[in-house]
Amino acid sequence: MLISDSLKETRIITIFAVVSIFLFLTISIVSFYSINTLNTITKNIYNHPLKVSNASLEVQKGVIEIHRDMKDIVLSSSPSELLYFTKLVNQKEQKVYKNLEVIKENILGTKGLELYEHTYQLFKQWKSIRDHVIELMEKKERNAAIKITKNQGAKHVEKLEGATILLKKYAQKKADNFRDTAKSTFIKFKIINIILLLLTLFLFILFVLYFRHRIKEYVDSLVQNKKKIQELNEQFKLAIEGTNDGLWDWNLKDSTVYFSPRWKEMLGYKDNELPNTFDTWKSRVHPDDIEHALKMIEQAHKDPSIEYNLIHRLRHKNGSWVWIWDRGQTIFDKNNKPIRMIGFHTDITESKLLEEKILNLKQQFEQFMEYMPANILIKENQTIIYANSAAANFFQERNIVGKTTQELFPKEILKRIEAFDKKAYENGFHEEILEVINKKQKIKVYRNMTFLIKNKKRDTKNKRLGIVSIDITKEYHANKEISRVLSAFERSNISVVMTDLTGNIEYVNPSWCQITGYTKEELLGKNPRIIKSGSMPETVYKTMWSTLTQGKVWRGEIKNRAKDGTIFWEDSTIIPSFGNNGYINGYISFKLEISDKIKLKEQLKEKEEIMIAQSRHAAMGEMISMIAHQWRQPISVIAMDANNILVDIELDSIDTHSLKVDLIDIIDQTKYLSKTIDDFRNFFKPTKLKDEILVSDVFKESFSVISKSLENHNITVENHFDTNTKVFIYSRELLQVFINILKNAKEALIEEKEDGRKIINTIYETKSNIIISICDNAGGINKNIINKIFDPYFTTKDEINGTGLGLYMSKTIIEKHFSGTIIAFNTEDGACFKIQFPIEMQSD
């Protein structure tokens, strides 16, 4: 009967599963088909309307741009411009052809291809018109080219634009058709999916009702079997009362548990001292064991083939832990549901403690061996019986225990190993340095120590050897490198000094001994301060030590004194050295004697100062001319006022008010003359001190010197200043640079431009730099000489009007005194000079 019911249920479940799978597959196929259909429509929308529309717009845009470039061609003023715009038209023509190709590949329908072909032919025909215009321009027949561009060319462009608009509209119409198709397709597939889902829901309800009926039948069957199980339980308890194991019986239906008196006795309790509940066991399991134990119980409840078997600890009444071997079996009903679990406890505390002791000793030994920085092997008659992980890694294998030395070592090394073993057998110990090539073809150097392990049984046949092999490759090569480096230091012309953390000398090479005049014995253990000249600022040494103690490299020039009192200069680079702990343990200094270089540098600086002075004096003649121009009008006013006063005196018609007005006018003109003298005196002031000032104020001061001259020559000046940061600079030198550039701009404007003369000055700042530009509209600098204008004594003027030092000294001042750059370049209107230097400049 049970078999018949089981077969019936199997058939029903199978039928339900088949129908469910069928419906699921149907829904999936319909969904896939609908998605695929919509995807095809979407692709059509993308490939035809979208791509064709975009390509049509690009063609239209390209036609407009080519037409605009054709206008630039007919308006070009030089062959180079004509060539440039012709190349530009050809590039854009290729781009239009590419977009026409996209339209051809993606457009649908015969009408669409006809529209494409019409557009293509129109664009192709336009080529001959454009070529004719370019040919006329090359022949310099501009009027004929303009006429064709305005008439025939413009009309053809209109036709092309109309053709591209028709293409775009055709693509948009196709997009509307695709959209309507997608909408109707979506509605159709939506209805089909709803019908299939309703069928699936109906089938699921039928299945739930059937299983509800079957569950009721199973519950009735379980109630009948309960009485039989209780009877068997009582018989089982009587059978195991005489054993030494503790019995436990867990009824999973009502969660009741039975613990035998022996089970409780193992934990130091009497039978009546512990309640028979699951929590009695669970609360006494060791915290480290409870998770695993519960997991094992859960697995035994799921699978009848799994036997519950584990070792765990239970807390004794006295607080100690009892090791328990716990095993049991789960009983399942006909529906494969766990209903009962029966098992035994065996006290294995004594054997477990002994096992732990042995295991701890083994672990301590293995841990000690694992942390040894060496390859450790034990072999018996050439067979490996122990190897730590370092040894296994050396052979690039997980486990080498059981292998022989013949399997592990190449033949060329085996003979040396046999010799080691023989000496160890004879002497009990042998040590030697061994070089080997590992499997990665790298040379390794090892300190090999082999020793005889004596056994108490005096077994002469099975001899054991212990091998400790320490990798000294790094130390070996490091010693070789150190020897090589020291050998190079000893022969080097560059001085090398090594000190400890406090600065006491630990090594010097012969080069430094020769430069300082001290012997190596006199220097070792001393501090390098014994050669201090006393003329270097203390801030240099403070900065040096601050840099080094931060672990950074310091470089600088230091003035020192040799043993005989001779002064010499060194270019020093000092590098902190670090120990294995990452902390600084000393310093290494590389020194190059540069006394001759310093002398040459001082001579060059003196020469530059002379040239700066020459440049300033060369400008004096023009400055005096400027003064004469600026004084002419105020002197005339003063003379006229004085003459008016004399006439009034002669005529005896002095009016107090008129006299006062003339005198005030004379005073105002003399003030203006005085201010002019101050401005020019500041320009020639021979100061070499830095001052903190706004760059815009320096420019305004230089402008005040030359402004009248610019005004007299009808030169308009535009200033755009956007800087609020004061900089610490040589303002007089920057003033000279500004005047040099403004003067050159003025002269270029006078020579090249009749009217509309203009100078545009811009000053602004970035996060770290000041940027200045001075631009004119005089047409620019000849490209053949623009790279020479900063050369010394290079000038395009005659000897009277130019020395060729102005721009050269401007470049020298900016680069060497301001750590900046100055460049000249041409714009569409004229020449520009761009100056850039840092806001924070290093002190000299």
Side-chain angles (χ1 to χ4, degrees):
M1 183 68 180
L2 289 172
I3 295 173
S4 176
D5 291 344
S6 178
L7 288 172
K8 183 180 177 182
E9 283 185 16
T10 303
R11 289 194 199 99
I12 293 171
I13 292 171
T14 303
I15 292 168
F16 175 79
V18 170
V19 174
S20 299
I21 291 169
F22 175 77
L23 286 173
F24 174 78
L25 289 173
T26 303
I27 294 171
S28 299
I29 291 168
V30 171
S31 299
F32 176 79
Y33 178 75
S34 62
I35 290 169
N36 187 55
T37 303
L38 291 173
N39 181 52
T40 302
I41 294 170
T42 304
K43 283 183 178 178
N44 288 336
I45 291 172
Y46 176 77
N47 288 330
H48 175 76
L50 182 60
K51 285 190 176 179
V52 171
S53 295
N54 289 342
S56 299
L57 286 173
E58 288 296 324
V59 169
Q60 186 179 5
K61 178 185 173 184
V63 168
I64 293 170
E65 288 179 347
I66 291 172
H67 186 52
R68 183 192 61 203
D69 292 338
M70 289 302 298
K71 291 179 181 179
D72 291 333
I73 285 175
V74 300
L75 295 175
S76 58
S77 58
S78 64
S80 61
E81 283 188 20
L82 176 61
L83 180 61
Y84 170 77
F85 287 115
T86 302
K87 288 182 178 179
L88 201 60
V89 166
N90 291 334
Q91 291 172 1
K92 292 176 180 178
E93 179 186 41
Q94 294 303 316
K95 188 175 178 182
V96 170
Y97 275 124
K98 287 181 181 179
N99 283 297
L100 285 170
E101 188 64 27
V102 171
I103 295 170
K104 181 181 179 183
E105 291 174 356
N106 294 283
I107 198 161
L108 299 175
T110 305
K111 185 179 178 181
L113 288 172
E114 289 175 355
L115 289 171
Y116 156 77
E117 186 63 30
H118 176 63
T119 306
Y120 178 84
Q121 290 300 327
L122 281 174
F123 186 77
K124 189 176 180 182
Q125 292 164 8
W126 190 27
K127 171 71 173 176
S128 59
I129 298 172
R130 296 198 309 272
D131 290 342
H132 184 48
V133 170
I134 294 170
E135 184 180 350
L136 288 171
M137 284 303 297
E138 287 174 347
K139 294 178 179 178
K140 297 185 179 180
E141 296 179 12
R142 186 187 303 275
N143 293 332
I146 292 172
K147 184 177 180 181
I148 291 173
T149 303
K150 286 184 176 180
N151 297 316
Q152 188 179 354
K155 290 177 182 178
H156 204 87
V157 168
E158 287 177 0
K159 290 180 182 179
L160 267 173
E161 287 180 351
T164 55
I165 290 169
L166 287 176
L167 275 172
K168 182 182 174 185
K169 288 181 177 179
Y170 178 81
Q172 288 174 344
K173 185 176 179 182
K174 279 288 183 182
D176 294 338
N177 293 337
F178 287 136
R179 183 192 61 208
D180 295 338
T181 304
K183 185 175 181 182
S184 62
T185 303
F186 175 77
I187 293 170
K188 179 173 67 177
F189 288 131
K190 182 178 179 183
I191 293 169
I192 294 171
N193 279 326
I194 291 171
I195 293 170
L196 291 173
L197 287 172
L198 290 173
L199 286 173
T200 305
L201 180 62
F202 176 74
L203 184 64
F204 178 77
I205 292 169
L206 287 177
F207 188 79
V208 170
L209 292 173
Y210 171 77
F211 267 90
R212 182 175 175 275
H213 172 70
R214 293 299 296 162
I215 289 169
K216 185 178 181 301
E217 291 181 352
Y218 289 145
V219 170
D220 294 340
S221 177
L222 289 174
V223 172
Q224 292 175 4
N225 292 329
K226 184 176 180 181
K227 293 180 182 180
K228 294 180 181 179
I229 294 171
Q230 288 176 344
E231 292 174 1
L232 291 173
N233 186 34
E234 291 176 1
Q235 293 173 4
F236 185 74
K237 286 180 181 179
L238 293 172
I240 52 84
E241 277 184 354
T243 65
N244 196 37
D245 291 338
L247 171 71
W248 52 270
D249 185 359
W250 184 12
N251 189 328
L252 299 175
K253 288 184 177 182
D254 56 12
S255 297
T256 58
V257 181
Y258 168 76
F259 298 118
S260 69
R262 173 61 186 150
W263 190 96
K264 299 176 183 178
E265 185 183 343
M266 288 180 187
L267 303 179
Y269 294 95
K270 294 180 180 179
D271 188 27
N272 59 355
E273 287 184 310
L274 284 178
N276 289 329
T277 63
F278 179 76
D279 192 59
T280 297
W281 169 81
K282 183 179 178 182
S283 63
R284 284 168 175 76
V285 179
H286 194 282
D288 294 343
D289 302 336
I290 184 63
E291 184 178 353
H292 179 59
L294 292 174
K295 187 175 181 181
M296 292 293 292
I297 291 171
E298 183 182 356
Q299 291 177 354
H301 288 178
K302 289 180 179 179
D303 190 347
S305 64
I306 295 177
E307 180 183 354
Y308 174 68
N309 192 332
L310 80 156
I311 294 173
H312 61 75
R313 288 161 287 181
L314 289 175
R315 189 173 64 251
H316 195 275
K317 186 177 181 180
N318 62 13
S320 63
W321 294 101
V322 180
W323 282 96
I324 299 296
W325 176 25
D326 191 3
R327 64 256 187 229
Q329 187 67 45
T330 305
I331 300 171
F332 294 81
D333 62 13
K334 63 180 181 179
N335 296 319
N336 209 28
K337 183 179 179 182
I339 58 174
R340 190 174 183 180
M341 195 174 184
I342 302 172
F344 298 92
H345 278 187
T346 302
D347 186 349
I348 59 167
T349 303
E350 290 185 6
S351 60
K352 192 66 179 178
L353 291 175
L354 180 60
E355 179 186 337
E356 281 189 348
K357 187 175 181 180
I358 294 170
L359 183 63
N360 285 336
L361 289 172
K362 183 174 180 293
Q363 288 177 344
Q364 288 172 9
F365 169 77
E366 290 180 347
Q367 188 176 19
F368 176 76
M369 291 299 182
E370 289 300 313
Y371 282 101
M372 286 287 288
N375 304 327
I376 300 174
L377 301 169
I378 298 175
K379 63 180 182 179
E380 187 177 87
N381 297 333
Q382 304 305 318
T383 300
I384 308 298
I385 62 172
Y386 171 80
N388 66 351
S389 60
N393 291 336
F394 171 78
F395 293 103
Q396 296 183 345
E397 296 188 20
R398 286 188 176 184
N399 188 10
I400 60 173
V401 174
K403 295 192 175 185
T404 63
T405 52
Q406 287 80 5
E407 294 176 276
L408 297 172
F409 290 99
K411 292 181 180 180
E412 59 269 18
I413 297 180
L414 281 174
K415 290 184 179 180
R416 293 188 65 184
I417 292 175
E418 289 172 1
F420 293 167
D421 293 350
K422 185 178 180 181
K423 291 179 181 178
Y425 284 135
E426 292 173 355
N427 305 319
F429 178 81
H430 179 67
E431 179 179 355
E432 193 167 328
I433 301 298
L434 178 65
E435 286 190 14
V436 298
I437 301 176
N438 63 12
K439 290 186 177 181
K440 293 182 179 179
Q441 299 302 309
K442 290 184 178 180
I443 297 175
K444 290 283 188 177
V445 183
Y446 291 90
R447 176 174 282 111
N448 223 48
M449 293 167 281
T450 307
F451 55 91
L452 182 64
I453 300 176
K454 298 178 181 179
N455 58 55
K456 294 181 180 180
K457 295 180 180 180
R458 296 182 181 179
D459 186 355
T460 56
K461 293 183 180 179
N462 298 318
K463 293 183 178 180
R464 292 185 177 181
L465 288 176
I467 302 159
V468 178
S469 184
I470 302 173
D471 186 351
I472 60 169
T473 306
K474 290 183 179 179
E475 294 82 354
Y476 181 81
H477 290 302
N479 288 332
K480 286 178 69 175
E481 287 298 319
I482 290 170
S483 299
R484 189 181 302 167
V485 171
L486 288 177
S487 176
F489 285 171
E490 290 293 313
R491 296 191 299 273
S492 174
N493 291 328
I494 297 174
S495 301
V496 182
V497 181
M498 298 183 187
T499 72
D500 60 17
L501 192 59
T502 59
N504 294 324
I505 297 172
E506 296 179 331
Y507 169 82
V508 292
N509 69 340
S511 175
W512 207 55
C513 294
Q514 183 180 355
I515 291 169
T516 61
Y518 290 95
T519 64
K520 182 178 286 189
E521 291 72 22
E522 289 175 317
L523 291 171
L524 292 177
K526 301 293 193 307
N527 194 289
R529 68 171 63 95
I530 64 171
I531 61 165
K532 275 180 72 171
S533 64
S535 58
M536 294 292 293
E538 285 299 318
T539 54
V540 173
Y541 298 103
K542 288 181 180 179
T543 302
M544 178 185 74
W545 280 109
S546 173
T547 303
L548 293 173
T549 52
Q550 294 178 49
K552 299 177 182 178
V553 177
W554 181 87
R555 182 175 179 181
E557 296 176 352
I558 297 182
K559 186 177 183 181
N560 288 325
R561 188 185 303 275
K563 185 178 180 181
D564 61 2
T566 304
I567 297 297
F568 65 95
W569 282 86
E570 289 181 319
D571 184 350
S572 295
T573 300
I574 306 176
I575 305 170
S577 61
F578 296 86
N580 293 330
N581 58 3
Y583 292 102
I584 299 172
N585 61 6
Y587 305 97
I588 305 172
S589 178
F590 298 92
K591 301 170 178 287
L592 183 65
E593 206 269 338
I594 57 167
S595 299
D596 293 339
K597 178 183 174 182
I598 294 295
K599 288 179 182 177
L600 180 61
K601 188 176 178 181
E602 290 175 351
Q603 290 171 1
L604 287 173
K605 189 174 181 181
E606 290 175 3
K607 184 178 178 182
E608 285 175 4
E609 294 297 332
I610 292 170
M611 292 181 77
I612 291 172
Q614 288 176 346
S615 175
R616 185 174 292 173
H617 292 152
M620 190 177 294
E622 183 158 344
M623 296 300 107
I624 292 171
S625 176
M626 290 181 188
I627 291 173
H629 277 293
Q630 290 185 229
W631 278 20
R632 185 173 289 118
Q633 182 179 350
I635 289 173
S636 297
V637 172
I638 291 171
M640 185 177 66
D641 288 338
N643 188 58
N644 289 339
I645 293 170
L646 288 172
V647 169
D648 288 341
I649 292 172
E650 289 292 331
L651 297 175
D652 197 21
S653 60
I654 294 177
D655 177 49
T656 306
H657 176 72
S658 298
L659 180 62
K660 185 177 180 181
V661 169
D662 290 337
L663 291 174
I664 290 172
D665 193 20
I666 291 171
I667 292 170
D668 290 340
Q669 295 303 323
T670 54
K671 285 180 179 179
Y672 174 76
L673 294 175
S674 177
K675 181 180 181 300
T676 305
I677 292 172
D678 289 340
D679 289 341
F680 285 96
R681 184 177 59 190
N682 287 336
F683 173 70
F684 293 107
K685 188 185 296 181
T687 178
K688 284 300 295 177
L689 297 177
K690 286 185 175 182
D691 47 7
E692 192 173 20
I693 192 168
L694 286 171
V695 174
S696 56
D697 288 345
V698 178
F699 193 92
K700 290 172 185 176
E701 190 175 347
S702 63
F703 184 69
S704 68
V705 174
I706 198 171
S707 61
K708 200 67 178 177
S709 177
L710 297 175
E711 182 183 336
N712 291 338
H713 290 94
N714 299 317
I715 297 173
T716 304
V717 178
E718 290 183 12
N719 293 327
H720 305 282
F721 300 156
D722 185 16
T723 175
N724 298 310
T725 304
K726 289 187 176 182
V727 288
F728 197 60
I729 56 172
Y730 297 110
S731 62
R732 297 302 95 195
E733 293 187 351
L734 185 60
L735 180 75
Q736 183 177 353
V737 172
F738 287 157
I739 289 178
N740 282 338
I741 297 172
L742 288 169
K743 183 166 67 69
N744 282 349
K746 182 198 78 172
E747 291 169 355
L749 287 166
I750 293 169
E751 184 177 347
E752 301 292 339
K753 204 167 181 66
E754 292 293 333
D755 52 19
R757 298 166 180 169
K758 184 185 292 186
I759 298 176
I760 302 173
N761 307 302
T762 306
I763 303 176
Y764 64 96
E765 63 184 73
T766 63
K767 187 176 181 181
S768 56
N769 291 306
I770 297 290
I771 299 172
I772 306 149
S773 69
I774 302 173
C775 301
D776 60 51
N777 64 343
I781 304 168
N782 189 321
K783 63 181 181 180
N784 295 324
I785 66 168
I786 194 168
N787 294 326
K788 301 177 182 179
I789 61 173
F790 291 110
D791 293 348
Y793 302 109
F794 178 82
T795 180
T796 58
K797 309 166 191 173
D798 53 37
E799 293 183 0
I800 297 173
N801 294 322
T803 63
L805 289 175
L807 290 179
Y808 168 69
M809 293 317 303
S810 297
K811 184 178 177 68
T812 301
I813 289 168
I814 294 300
E815 289 182 349
K816 296 190 175 181
H817 295 187
F818 287 74
S819 302
T821 59
I822 178 171
I823 59 172
F825 58 92
N826 287 326
T827 63
E828 292 182 0
D829 296 326
C832 273
F833 286 82
K834 182 178 179 181
I835 301 169
Q836 179 174 314
F837 55 82
I839 294 174
E840 297 290 337
M841 282 185 280
Q842 297 180 351
S843 58
D844 293 341

